[in-house]
Amino acid sequence: MSNDEKLIDFAAERDKRIHDLNDKRLNDMRQVFEQVLPLGKGKKKSKGKPKKR
């Protein structure tokens, strides 16, 4: 059994961890924005008949 198999690429692990933190932050911000400015799922403005001029 060689030691090469047990080596951990700390840079790659750190990048993954930072990426997970950024995803968490992005999801939190998305939830806040959806509460403040809902994207209107299924609630569309129905345009009535256009006014005749």
Side-chain angles (χ1 to χ4, degrees), residues 20-51:
D20 289 342
L21 287 175
N22 288 340
D23 279 349
K24 181 181 181 294
R25 190 179 307 143
L26 183 66
N27 286 333
D28 291 344
M29 288 300 294
R30 184 175 288 133
Q31 287 175 357
V32 169
F33 270 102
E34 285 179 354
Q35 287 175 2
V36 175
L37 298 169
L39 294 177
K41 297 174 184 171
K43 192 169 81 170
K44 296 182 178 178
K45 293 182 180 177
S46 59
K47 291 186 178 178
K49 294 181 181 178
K51 292 182 180 178

Side-chain angles (χ1 to χ4, degrees), residues 4-19:
D4 292 339
E5 295 175 11
K6 292 186 178 182
L7 289 179
I8 298 172
D9 185 3
F10 286 111
E13 293 296 325
R14 183 173 183 274
D15 288 343
K16 278 196 283 185
R17 198 165 61 243
I18 289 175
H19 186 70

